[in-house]
């Protein structure tokens, strides 16, 4: 059975972690009470043995000692059942203070005071945080209502022929407001989760205290927690119902089922089949890789100079897919690290909960693609060793290229330049490796290709500056324009075969005789 502390750690909202009840610290306080009671019990047992031996010496029976301890235990149990051992007072708004009406055992009285002082501080913190967040969300709700009224009035204007209103801007505004409604609805759900988790945590920790101290004060304190603001306020529930009804009315035309797909998307459950296939394809990739290394050594690719063309051509072609899979693998590692660190990356990157990829999904993609790529390399090498024509052999990387052409980085684009040269120029038909590795025109194409991503990003920054008016986008625009200029300078230096031409102007002094003539 999983401990509640682990369950709480797994379910709490990462951004609000410090605002939750500090369950682990309160458990440490209870552990101190346990240790104090254990030491006290050991001391009493030792004293009881001494008294028993003394009574036996002076002719007293051990029943006298037993009656003494039975009487003491009976009074202690009676006191433990008294519901007025503690009294929780409200000193102000969200400020609670617990008083010990009756003393606990002498050994753990101070520890109990420290525990309740810490528990009061946690309760006050939870109530204050909840009140702040509730006020923030209510304010956001009021703002959205006003924006929704404006949008509804604009919709009514667009239905008539009176106004010349830009429909694209209206659609953009509608999309933004819809997203704000979804975000607010989910935030309200998180606040309700915050309330319920803290309520359960208070109940659990009070049960642990009662068990450790042999008291019955948990129900007394828990009644105060139930009446406190974070558990008794219903404003969040009402606002959530209001947001839901407005979303259904204005964005899905009273189709509640369609609205719930936006407001409460279904979470994709993890499957053990994913883990099985990740292991299967990873094992297949490793086996094929070992097989390729053995075949390469048997073929003499790494030792025979006549095979240098194979390495110069085939490896750049297949490296595109290897680098792409490396990027996918590192992305999966990032997701795994973010999840273990309790970072809400889905919220940060605005991923849709029903479509986002989990780290195991990413690792499955990576292991599958790597197995296919290395399998293609084995097949390519095997067919070449059996004497198949270059046209037949080179259809393998061409097929892989068609599969993975959609996502490419700058480094991959430079390798794509080689692939384009290799296939478009017809080198794959005759294994003419020098065409793409030594030709100056094709070599310069790499820099032209690397220029494109910077150009696209510069245009995006320019568009966002025009639409949003944020000067930060101009700074990013300058960064990408500088990168474009650097690429162009490098290309021009290659063309002129003069590295220093753009860095400095060479000054040639005049001869002394010309100076004298002047």
């Amino acid at each position: 059975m999983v401990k509640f502390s682990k369950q709480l750690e797994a379910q709490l909202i990462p951004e609000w972690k410090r605002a939750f009840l500090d369950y682990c610290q309160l458990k440490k306080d209870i552990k101190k009470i346990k240790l104090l009671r254990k030491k006290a019990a050991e001391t009493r047992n030792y004293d009881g043995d001494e008294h028993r031996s003394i009574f036996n010496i002076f002719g007293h029976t051990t029943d006298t000692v037993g009656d003494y301890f039975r009487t003491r235990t009976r009074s202690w149990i009676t006191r433990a059942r008294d519901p007025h051992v503690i009294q929780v007072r409200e000193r102000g708004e969200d400020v609670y203070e617990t008083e010990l009406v009756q003393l606990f055992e002498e050994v753990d009285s101070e520890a109990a005071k420290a525990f309740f002082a810490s528990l009061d501080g946690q309760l006050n913190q939870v109530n204050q945080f909840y009140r702040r967040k509730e006020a923030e969300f209510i304010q956001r709700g009021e703002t959205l209502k006003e924006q929704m009224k404006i949008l509804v009035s604009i919709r009514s204007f667009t239905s008539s022929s009176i106004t010349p209103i830009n429909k694209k801007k209206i659609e953009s505004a509608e999309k933004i407001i819809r997203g704000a409604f979804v975000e607010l609805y989910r935030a309200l759900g998180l606040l309700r989760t915050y309330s319920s988790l803290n309520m359960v945590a208070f109940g659990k920790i009070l049960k642990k205290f009662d068990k450790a101290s042999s008291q019955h004060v948990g129900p007394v304190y828990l009644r105060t927690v139930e009446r406190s603001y974070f558990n008794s306020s219903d404003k969040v529930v009402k606002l959530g119902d209001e947001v839901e009804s407005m979303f259904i009315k204005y964005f899905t035309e009273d189709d509640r089922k369609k609205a719930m797909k936006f407001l409460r998307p279904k979470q994709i459950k993890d499957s053990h089949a994913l883990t099985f296939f990740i292991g299967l394809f990873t094992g297949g990739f490793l086996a094929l890789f070992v097989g390729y290394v053995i075949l390469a050594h048997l073929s003499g690719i790494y030792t025979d100079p006549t095979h240098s063309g194979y390495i110069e051509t085939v490896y750049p072609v297949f490296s595109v897919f290897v680098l792409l899979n490396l990027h996918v693998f590192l992305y999966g590692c990032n997701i795994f690290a973010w999840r273990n660190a309790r970072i809400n990356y889905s919220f940060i990157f605005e991923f849709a909960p029903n479509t986002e990829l989990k780290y195991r999904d990413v690792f499955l993609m990576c292991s599958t693609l790597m197995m296919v790529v290395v399998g293609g390399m084995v097949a390519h090498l095997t067919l070449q060793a059996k004497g198949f024509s270059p046209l037949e052999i080179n259809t393998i990387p061409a097929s892989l290229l068609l599969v993975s052409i959609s996502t490419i980085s700058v480094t991959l684009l430079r390798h794509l330049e080689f692939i384009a040269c290799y296939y478009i120029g017809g080198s794959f038909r005759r294994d003419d490796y020098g065409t793409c590795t030594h030709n100056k025109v094709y070599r310069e194409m790499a820099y032209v290709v690397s220029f494109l991503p910077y150009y696209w990003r510069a245009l995006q920054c320019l568009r966002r500056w025009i639409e949003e008016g944020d000067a930060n986008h101009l700074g990013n625009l300058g960064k990408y324009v500088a990168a474009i200029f650097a690429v162009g300078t490098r290309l021009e230096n290659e063309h002129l075969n003069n590295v220093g031409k753009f860095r400095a102007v060479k000054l040639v002094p005049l001869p002394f005789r010309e100076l004298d003539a002047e």
Side-chain angles (χ1 to χ4, degrees), residues 56-57 60 136 139 151 158 185 191 264 270 460 512:
N56 287 337
I57 291 172
H60 293 283
E136 175 188 335
Q139 180 61 38
L151 181 62
T158 54
Y185 187 83
L191 194 56
R264 298 179 188 171
D270 294 333
Q460 288 177 353
F512 286 106

Side-chain angles (χ1 to χ4, degrees), residues 157-217:
F157 282 135
T158 54
S159 60
S160 64
S161 58
I162 300 174
T163 155
I165 300 178
N166 192 332
K167 291 185 177 180
K168 288 186 177 180
K169 290 186 177 180
I170 296 175
E171 291 175 357
S172 177
E174 183 176 342
K175 185 178 179 180
I176 293 173
I177 295 175
R178 183 181 64 187
F181 266 96
V182 172
E183 184 179 345
L184 177 59
Y185 187 83
R186 293 177 184 172
L188 293 171
L190 291 177
L191 194 56
R192 289 197 296 268
T193 302
Y194 173 82
S195 173
S196 60
L197 283 177
N198 277 294
M199 192 65 212
V200 174
F202 274 107
K204 292 283 186 181
I205 204 66
L206 287 168
K207 283 184 179 179
K208 284 186 176 294
F209 177 81
D210 284 351
K211 185 177 179 180
S213 61
S214 300
Q215 298 289 339
H216 193 65
V217 299

Side-chain angles (χ1 to χ4, degrees), residues 145-160 162-163 165 170 177 250:
K145 289 177 189 176
E146 295 297 324
Q147 292 176 349
M148 195 67 235
K149 289 180 182 178
I150 296 173
L151 181 62
V152 170
S153 62
I154 291 176
R155 281 177 176 177
S156 63
F157 282 135
T158 54
S159 60
S160 64
I162 300 174
T163 155
I165 300 178
I170 296 175
I177 295 175
Y250 294 114

